Amino acid sequence: MKYFLYALLGLFLVSAYSCDDDDPCEECQDAIDHMHSKIEDNSCNPDFMGNAVDRLEDDCGFSSGHVFAGYMAITCANTGVASRPECNSTDGDIFTSFLSVSGVEFEIRLINTQFADDTLDVSISNSSSDPSWYEMMAGDYEYPQRDGLSNGDEVEITIVDPNTDKVLLQKSETFRYWRPGKWTIIPRAEIVWVPLVETYDVNFIDW
């Protein structure tokens, strides 16, 4: 009986060691490759790929799976060709912090100003790219592109009075790769003058 218990203990230790030694990226990478091979034929839209998304959630983890899906969707939507991410892990945990996308298009609209002929200097920036500046009047719109966008990056809009160089407003919004229902919609920032409080505001739409 004693030798039987020792044998069971040894088998348990071997099994535990084998599980700890498993690479979580093996199945996750297969799930990534599965979606990557099909996403271009599905209009770059994970909303049309329920089974592939479920597989990413199961094999990569709920959060990481969504980040990988969003990364492929964004690169596909902006270039027509989806980039294939490589799964990376440390101590058994899958991480996605190394991912970065370029050429993501945004829209800036200046809806109204305090006075009809006012001109504003408006910039859009994120942590990895220099600000892009635009001189705008009421009714103007711009379509800047941002590079080096990581998941969870803060995209900031700054409004400056060109006559005094006074910063009138700085406001940011978090950009995430996972955008269900909004894959083909350009994230929009609408700048408005709010007479009730006599200040400018930015409304972030479809982010």
Side-chain angles (χ1 to χ4, degrees), residues 140-151:
D140 288 349
Y141 54 88
E142 299 287 346
Y143 289 93
Q145 291 186 343
R146 305 308 298 159
D147 294 331
L149 277 168
S150 58
N151 185 60

Side-chain angles (χ1 to χ4, degrees), residues 53-129:
V53 172
D54 289 344
R55 185 172 170 183
L56 282 170
E57 291 177 358
D58 292 341
D59 295 341
C60 302
F62 187 82
S63 178
S64 296
H66 283 178
V67 172
F68 286 132
Y71 174 81
M72 287 184 276
I74 290 169
T75 55
C76 182
N78 280 273
T79 67
V81 178
S83 295
R84 173 185 173 274
E86 294 284 345
C87 178
N88 287 276
S89 65
T90 299
D91 297 328
D93 293 325
I94 294 171
F95 63 93
T96 59
S97 57
F98 64 96
L99 294 173
S100 176
V101 295
S102 297
V104 179
E105 189 173 50
F106 293 84
E107 180 181 355
I108 300 175
R109 292 185 184 182
L110 180 51
I111 303 300
N112 63 322
T113 51
Q114 183 177 10
F115 302 105
D117 295 331
D118 282 355
T119 299
L120 300 177
D121 289 337
V122 179
S123 78
I124 181 171
S125 61
N126 60 292
S127 60
S128 301
S129 298

